[in-house]
Amino acid sequence: LASWVPVVGLEIHAQISSNSKLFSGSQVQFAAPPNSLVSFFDASLPGTLPVLNRRCVEAAVMTGLALNCSINKKSLFDRKHYFYADLPAGYQITQQRVPIAVNGSLSYSLCIDNKMSQMVTKTVRIKQIQLEQDSGKSLHDDTRSQTLVDLNRAGVGLMEVVMEPDLCCGEEAAAAIRELQLILQTLGSSQAVMAEGQLRVDANVSVHHPGDPYGVRTEVKNINSIRFLAKAVDYEIQRQIEELENGGTILNETRAFDSRLGCTVPMRDKEGKQDYRFIPEPNLPPLILYDAKSLPANMNHQQVVNIDWIRERLPDLPSVKRAKLVEQYEILPEHSFTLLNEEGLTEFFENVVKQTQMKPRKVIGWILNDLLSYLKQHSLTVKESPVSSFLLADLLNLLEKKEISAAAAKQVLAELWKGEGKTPLEIVKEKKLELIQDQKELEQICQLVIDGHENEVIMMALR
Amino acid sequence: EGGVLQVSAALKEGQVTPTQLCQRCLALIRSTKFLNAYITVAEETALKQAEESEKRYRRGQPLGVLDGIPISVKDNFNTAGIETTCASNMLKGYISPYNATVVQKLLDQGAVLLGKTNLDEFAMGSGSTDGVFGPVRNPWSYSRQYKEKSASKSHSEDEESNWVITGGSSGGSAAAVSSFTCFAALGSDTGGSTRNPAAHCGVVGLKPTYGLISRHGLIPLVNSMDVPGILTRCVDDAAVVLGLLAGHDPKDSTTIQDTFEPFELPDFTDVSKLTIGIPKEYHAPGLSGEILALWSKAADLFKNAGAKVIEVSLPHTRYSIVCYHVLCTAEVASNMARFDGLEYGHRSDMNESTESMYAATRREGFNDVVRGRILSGNYFLLKQNYENYFIKAQKVRRLIASDFVKVFRSGVDILLTPTTLSDAVPYMEFIKEDNRTRSTQDDILTQAANMAGVPAISVPAALSERGLPVGLQFIGRSLQEKQLLTVAKWFEKQVKFPMIQLEEVKRLDHDILQHQKSASFS
């Protein structure tokens, strides 16, 4: 069978973490009572005008810089028209002609095999980042034949990140998005929690034979987690290959991922191709950004966004953080990935290291193999861990001082996990897990065992 | 019948009280109801505002020169608690929760808001004839001056059917000021909608520089051309109102950041230092001989006073109408998209599906003019048409704007042009042509200033043969309102435009006088 080249391009919408919306002063808050965070502008009351939120611009600039983009010193806003219940004005304000950032890249890492023992770094190109409004939410109540509209989300700032189709499979997609999520969370420009709709990913998927032009692509939506992203992409690639190998064709359509069935299904047709009748947004002048060179001397720095000022204040990105962890604690790169991937785990690890004499590269094993697997088994976050860093450090100190064996330590950890408030030392005493150091005592025990198993001893002596 | 400054002085001296003033205006509104200038009269709130003003005057603490002065506002400005309809079924009964910035500024100065004035639906039109509340009648139709002239015509014609239009789309505001029911009114100007009715109704109509006055709360027609317009009985009043309204508004990102310095106009001006430009393209087809002569006379006036008067060219003027048509309809299609019956306004009973509800709501809520412009606009914005229509029109707009820049850079200070092609036509004649045709004809002299964003003002110049007002237009440099209004005031002084003689006003004054006489006897 001829080989297939899958091509995957991702479109990400990240909700900007800000106090108020992109063009109005109403608050941004998850799960507030319906229609309680709606300003006159959000409700599209006639005569209201957009006013750009400075914090949203800064968030987009930060994100652009972190993704190695060129920041456009002049970018423009446009109106994208379509009728829908969750779009009160009948158009969305977005940046179609000249977005705020272009031509960047995102590096992410994959493990070659499943054991995380070999990691390879890949790059996906970022086409652009644009600022745009989020829509409200509409809920269809088919039994009562009505649609319920909640405009709390209408007008919240979004950064749309468009990636070039450089990915080839679900695993790459998942890894790239995970890294993007970490970057956004590190910057604070978006909380990027997929479950709360702060990070939405659509995947464009196509397949073609090597040397042939790109195939027809489908857009896959309704992906609610990174895990489902990988599944959806892989399923769609498979589906397209099977379809084409059976002599069928791929339609340029939008499909939804059904997480229950683990497959993609065609979405209800949105009247084929939409013509959005873009026009420049006449109520917003071009967005002008400055850098140290172009900033006029008499300009009040409160009135402008200075790209260089933001660049100087960027926090350490995940890749830098990981490199520092590896250097400082002499752990493996794979370890640093796991530490950063789990919310709060790095902090936990560093707290344990601070409180114990055990070398970090030994501590890491306990963190990643023992603590983390317990957490995963019980679906707990690091924050919810019944074993605090203090307790674990305490336990590791006992091990380090050779007061207990490694096996005993694991037993103690299992007890600690019950969260009954006992200290490691108490558990050790309770279960009599102390390591016996006394030579004489050990000899006595050995002698007892030998005396009790005469036959076995003779068998051993004869061999 | 005085101007704002005079009445303000009278209020300060106690010669008249805000309540008396308010009541007089309300009474006049009642007796001139046939003009149909007002959609909503806010009698209760106006009297309350007058009462508050009176208290301030008694304490000797008026808020400013507008305190206690009755004003009216075109019904496309948001007024909290008072219906805002845009003369459309779509917004009948719509009570806005907020005040437009310009309305708020007037109220903060203590102005008394009498009511909302009539217009063409959503400000689309040049006659104030196409709103759902019916057409506005030009007060001059009932003036002695007009009646005398039309008496020579056939007597068999009913006076009822002889009335003339106000022009538009701010016809209600122009009629309100012209008939003395208020001292100043807000209009809007997108293609001439303040200047056109000002000229036809014999009042001053100012279109300020784009970005000088906030549009927050003005329901938009064309966002990139709309400005709030000021209608008053004299140029000094326009300067006063401008001074209170101009300036940066953080709620409107298209307002200019620089601080605006309110100004007073000099009583005496030496125009000999000025260069007046006469753009030859404004000798448009259809310009009446009468107005042409008036224009020429005005030019001579400046010449005789020592000004340099030269012919200039704005070569792209003839493209402005078709360019406006593309850009206006495109923005209209976009701006009207929000009227879907969901959040506010009219909602159709049709509920088979969201889409069918949208379609029915918009069909029921909008008149033919609005729907026609939406369809045109959407056509021009289709992907395959965008480049050929919208982009092209933007480029032509740039050329039109450059015409003005070049002329002003060449040493011309002010341009002098007619405002309209003729005096006001009778309603029966006006409606023989459709809205689009009329707009195309009537906007030709006013439209280009909106394209370029420059300020322009129409000043009443003389009465026509038929006894109706004719105005002339001055166009100035961006943000040079002071110079523009100074020249306009000088011109106003020279021509001494006659006061309208309205029976209703006379009767009211007579009644008040009688009342005062009898009061002094009791």
Side-chain angles (χ1 to χ4, degrees):
Chain A
L1 281 172
S3 63
W4 291 97
V5 179
V7 177
V8 180
L10 301 177
E11 260 166 45
I12 298 107
H13 287 90
Q15 233 181 45
I16 298 175
S17 174
S18 59
N19 289 328
S20 54
K21 297 184 181 179
L22 183 55
F23 295 116
S24 75
S26 40
Q27 263 202 301
V28 179
Q29 206 187 7
F30 183 67
N35 293 314
S36 60
L37 305 171
V38 184
S39 68
F40 298 154
F41 174 77
D42 302 331
S44 80
L45 294 194
T48 52
L49 299 168
V51 180
L52 185 54
N53 178 334
R54 186 214 172 98
R55 157 74 189 159
C56 292
V57 176
E58 290 171 348
V61 172
M62 272 198 284
T63 306
L65 290 171
L67 294 176
N68 307 306
C69 297
S70 310
I71 307 294
N72 281 327
K73 292 228 199 68
K74 176 172 165 184
S75 61
L76 306 170
F77 290 99
D78 305 287
R79 293 184 180 180
K80 177 180 180 181
H81 302 84
Y82 60 94
F83 284 98
Y84 207 68
D86 60 18
L87 197 66
Y91 59 83
Q92 175 202 38
I93 302 180
T94 177
Q95 294 189 299
Q96 187 241 5
R97 287 168 294 156
V98 186
I100 193 167
V102 292
N103 296 337
S105 64
L106 167 67
S107 293
Y108 62 98
S109 291
L110 286 178
C111 19
I112 296 285
D113 53 38
N114 275 328
K115 290 183 216 146
M116 285 216 94
S117 51
Q118 240 195 313
M119 305 212 79
V120 63
T121 303
K122 294 195 162 197
T123 308
V124 57
R125 292 168 298 159
I126 306 286
K127 177 158 185 254
Q128 65 188 54
I129 300 176
Q130 65 203 57
L131 282 167
E132 59 185 37
Q133 293 174 302
D134 206 345
S135 62
K137 283 209 184 111
S138 56
L139 303 146
H140 301 290
D141 181 357
D142 288 321
T143 36
R144 289 186 198 78
S145 296
Q146 60 183 12
T147 302
L148 306 166
V149 182
D150 175 13
L151 296 180
N152 281 349
R153 203 183 64 178
V156 171
L158 291 177
M159 293 177 288
E160 178 172 338
V161 180
V162 183
M163 292 182 173
E164 299 284 10
D166 297 340
L167 305 168
C168 73
C169 61
E171 196 189 359
E172 285 191 356
I177 293 300
R178 182 64 188 122
E179 187 66 7
L180 177 64
Q181 196 177 39
L182 284 173
I183 291 174
L184 293 171
Q185 288 168 348
T186 303
L187 293 172
S189 57
S190 169
Q191 285 165 45
V193 175
M194 276 181 95
E196 289 184 7
Q198 293 159 343
L199 188 69
R200 288 164 240 159
V201 184
D202 299 330
N204 293 302
V205 179
S206 73
V207 298
H208 63 272
H209 288 302
D212 280 356
Y214 280 15
V216 175
R217 63 182 160 105
T218 62
E219 189 186 14
V220 182
K221 289 174 111 70
N222 196 39
I223 299 166
N224 298 326
S225 74
I226 295 183
R227 202 165 58 91
F228 288 153
L229 171 63
K231 273 196 167 167
V233 167
D234 288 334
Y235 173 86
E236 182 61 16
I237 290 170
Q238 239 354 87
R239 184 193 76 85
Q240 290 194 10
I241 291 174
E242 275 168 26
E243 183 70 36
L244 291 170
E245 286 186 341
N246 288 334
T249 51
I250 305 299
L251 295 170
N252 177 212
E253 60 177 351
T254 305
R255 299 175 71 88
F257 180 66
D258 185 323
S259 51
R260 265 186 319 120
L261 301 173
C263 65
T264 65
V265 294
M267 271 178 91
R268 242 177 327 154
D269 186 42
K270 269 187 175 183
E271 302 148 46
K273 286 294 210 129
Q274 281 256 32
D275 191 327
Y276 294 111
R277 289 160 285 125
F278 288 96
I279 60 164
E281 170 54 69
N283 293 317
L284 291 169
L287 174 58
I288 308 289
L289 304 174
Y290 297 90
D291 56 23
K293 252 197 290 180
S294 66
L295 189 63
N298 58 344
M299 192 79 90
N300 177 4
H301 99 104
Q302 298 272 39
Q303 291 278 335
V304 300
V305 171
N306 182 339
I307 301 168
D308 286 334
W309 193 87
I310 293 176
R311 194 199 309 269
E312 283 157 22
R313 283 157 187 76
L314 286 177
D316 279 346
L317 292 180
S319 50
V320 173
K321 277 192 193 169
R322 284 189 288 255
K324 282 189 176 170
L325 286 171
V326 168
E327 208 203 302
Q328 187 179 359
Y329 298 114
E330 295 178 341
I331 56 178
L332 296 175
E334 304 88 86
H335 296 159
S336 70
F337 269 92
T338 315
L339 280 180
L340 255 66
N341 268 352
E342 210 55 48
E343 170 113 33
L345 194 57
T346 307
E347 207 190 321
F348 194 100
F349 166 67
E350 292 189 302
N351 282 340
V352 172
V353 165
K354 263 187 246 167
Q355 298 171 89
T356 178
Q357 300 99 305
M358 183 182 280
K359 284 219 150 46
R361 54 169 193 265
K362 278 179 80 182
V363 173
I364 194 75
W366 285 92
I367 298 288
L368 298 182
N369 300 332
D370 298 280
L371 179 82
L372 193 58
S373 55
Y374 267 122
L375 289 173
K376 292 291 175 204
Q377 249 172 44
H378 296 95
S379 298
L380 293 171
T381 63
V382 173
K383 238 189 278 197
E384 296 163 335
S385 171
V387 179
S388 67
S389 61
F390 174 75
L391 283 178
L392 184 57
D394 211 14
L395 173 62
L396 296 181
N397 281 338
L398 291 177
L399 181 57
E400 192 68 2
K401 287 189 276 191
K402 294 203 186 352
E403 287 182 34
I404 54 175
S405 68
K410 288 200 197 278
Q411 274 186 279
V412 174
L413 188 57
E415 272 302 308
L416 282 174
W417 202 257
K418 294 188 188 150
E420 286 165 0
K422 300 185 206 152
T423 68
L425 198 57
E426 283 167 1
I427 297 171
V428 164
K429 291 227 161 74
E430 206 180 276
K431 291 196 180 274
K432 299 204 185 9
L433 294 169
E434 306 91 325
L435 263 184
I436 303 170
Q437 303 276 27
D438 187 329
Q439 187 78 359
K440 270 234 176 80
E441 211 184 327
L442 286 169
E443 277 180 11
Q444 269 183 343
I445 294 171
C446 290
Q447 194 59 52
L448 235 105
V449 173
I450 292 171
D451 291 344
H453 294 84
E454 274 187 21
N455 291 337
E456 286 81 356
V457 171
I458 290 167
M459 296 289 283
M460 288 221 55
L462 284 177
R463 244 189 251 135
Chain B
E1 279 81 13
V4 166
L5 292 167
Q6 288 163 287
V7 175
S8 186
L11 285 168
K12 251 192 167 155
E13 319 242 308
Q15 288 166 14
V16 64
T17 68
T19 310
Q20 285 172 331
L21 211 53
C22 182
Q23 279 169 341
R24 181 182 192 274
C25 289
L26 289 171
L28 202 51
I29 292 175
R30 281 193 292 271
S31 62
T32 55
K33 208 164 173 192
F34 54 88
L35 292 177
N36 202 19
Y38 287 83
I39 294 176
T40 304
V41 180
E43 190 159 326
E44 243 181 77
T45 52
L47 285 168
K48 248 187 233 141
Q49 285 161 5
E51 201 185 301
E52 293 300 310
S53 171
E54 203 156 307
K55 289 190 194 147
R56 290 190 290 267
Y57 274 105
R58 265 191 249 135
R59 285 200 303 268
Q61 292 171 335
L63 290 166
V65 86
L66 267 196
D67 203 334
I69 306 282
I71 53 132
S72 57
V73 168
K74 186 175 181 182
D75 207 12
N76 59 355
F77 285 91
N78 278 270
T79 45
I82 299 173
E83 206 172 320
T84 301
T85 69
C86 293
S88 174
N89 277 323
M90 191 58 91
L91 290 177
K92 243 192 198 163
Y94 173 68
I95 308 234
S96 168
Y98 75 100
N99 280 323
T101 296
V102 287
V103 171
Q104 192 60 55
K105 284 187 168 183
L106 291 173
L107 293 175
D108 287 345
Q109 287 291 313
V112 173
L113 177 55
L114 293 173
K116 308 297 288 298
T117 57
N118 204 351
L119 60 155
D120 285 301
E121 183 163 336
F122 280 108
M124 298 186 204
S126 58
S128 304
T129 52
D130 282 329
V132 292
F133 298 104
V136 184
R137 300 187 183 197
N138 192 327
W140 283 85
S141 315
Y142 305 94
S143 68
R144 194 198 304 170
Q145 289 101 327
Y146 179 63
K147 284 193 215 170
E148 276 173 1
K149 292 296 169 85
S150 55
S152 51
K153 305 252 166 83
S154 48
H155 286 270
S156 55
E157 275 186 24
D158 193 8
E159 190 191 68
E160 265 300 293
S161 61
N162 224 10
W163 60 269
V164 299
I165 58 164
T166 52
S169 62
S170 312
S173 282
V177 173
S178 169
S179 59
F180 303 105
T181 59
C182 64
F183 287 85
L186 287 184
S188 67
D189 197 311
T190 309
S193 288
T194 288
R195 292 162 285 157
N196 175 294
H200 284 314
C201 293
V203 298
V204 170
L206 170 64
K207 175 217 166 295
T209 309
Y210 181 86
L212 187 59
I213 299 186
S214 171
R215 290 181 298 111
H216 168 77
L218 167 60
I219 297 174
L221 175 58
V222 184
N223 288 290
S224 63
M225 298 185 206
D226 288 351
V227 293
I230 297 170
L231 295 127
T232 54
R233 285 200 278 279
C234 64
V235 177
D236 271 330
D237 289 354
V240 168
V241 178
L242 177 69
L244 296 169
L245 296 182
H248 176 65
D249 183 9
K251 295 193 186 125
D252 178 353
S253 307
T254 61
T255 52
I256 295 162
Q257 301 269 353
D258 307 333
T259 12
F260 175 79
E261 298 289 346
F263 51 81
E264 259 177 50
L265 300 173
D267 283 324
F268 297 100
T269 306
D270 179 11
V271 299
S272 64
K273 303 212 179 74
L274 290 172
T275 304
I276 308 288
I278 310 287
K280 62 182 188 199
E281 290 83 6
Y282 280 62
H283 185 161
L287 186 64
S288 79
E290 209 175 23
I291 297 195
L292 184 59
L294 202 63
W295 186 15
S296 185
K297 216 168 141 194
D300 287 340
L301 220 81
F302 281 97
K303 229 180 279 179
N304 295 336
K308 190 164 161 214
V309 180
I310 56 170
E311 190 188 74
V312 295
S313 175
L314 298 169
H316 297 93
T317 304
R318 64 195 164 113
Y319 302 117
S320 75
I321 289 300
V322 69
C323 175
Y324 176 70
H325 182 72
V326 173
L327 296 178
C328 172
T329 54
E331 282 214 38
V332 163
S334 177
N335 292 332
M336 296 296 145
R338 65 188 59 212
F339 296 105
D340 54 16
L342 273 185
E343 295 86 9
Y344 48 82
H346 172 67
R347 189 199 282 206
S348 170
D349 290 330
M350 162 68 72
N351 59 2
E352 266 171 40
S353 70
T354 313
E355 260 93 40
S356 64
M357 190 274 279
Y358 285 164
T361 295
R362 290 162 73 79
R363 191 184 354 102
E364 292 162 16
F366 292 139
N367 71 4
D368 283 351
V369 179
V370 177
R371 299 211 319 272
R373 293 199 193 189
I374 292 173
L375 288 170
S376 302
N378 278 326
Y379 176 78
F380 296 137
L381 291 178
L382 289 175
K383 229 180 185 156
Q384 69 259 33
N385 293 331
Y386 185 73
E387 185 77 35
N388 287 331
Y389 289 97
F390 190 82
I391 297 285
K392 266 269 169 67
Q394 292 272 58
K395 291 179 178 173
V396 173
R397 181 178 180 176
R398 171 71 63 194
L399 292 175
I400 292 169
S402 305
D403 280 356
F404 285 96
V405 172
K406 285 197 194 112
V407 155
F408 287 129
R409 218 177 267 165
S410 72
V412 171
D413 297 305
I414 300 280
L415 297 167
L416 167 62
T417 80
T419 313
T420 57
L421 295 173
S422 70
D423 57 1
V425 300
Y427 174 72
M428 296 309 279
E429 202 185 300
F430 184 79
I431 54 172
K432 285 192 189 143
E433 301 273 15
D434 64 63
N435 183 293
R436 168 138 183 257
T437 309
R438 285 296 182 199
S439 299
T440 310
Q441 296 161 343
D442 300 333
D443 287 347
I444 187 86
L445 301 169
T446 46
Q447 213 299 299
N450 297 87
M451 287 278 189
V454 290
I457 185 169
S458 178
V459 180
L463 290 183
S464 69
E465 291 266 311
R466 289 158 66 218
L468 294 170
V470 171
L472 287 177
Q473 175 177 236
F474 296 94
I475 306 175
R477 289 191 186 89
S478 264
L479 301 174
Q480 300 303 313
E481 270 79 354
K482 184 168 182 191
Q483 184 180 57
L484 178 68
L485 269 71
T486 300
V487 172
K489 180 173 172 176
W490 180 88
F491 178 75
E492 177 187 61
K493 263 193 145 164
Q494 305 307 308
V495 298
K496 298 193 185 56
F497 184 79
M499 188 161 24
I500 186 176
Q501 284 162 29
L502 271 181
E503 192 59 48
E504 285 68 24
V505 178
K506 261 178 112 181
R507 215 179 290 142
L508 190 70
D509 284 343
H510 177 82
D511 288 346
I512 289 176
L513 206 58
Q514 286 294 90
H515 179 86
Q516 282 176 340
K517 278 197 187 140
S518 58
S520 60
F521 276 131
S522 57

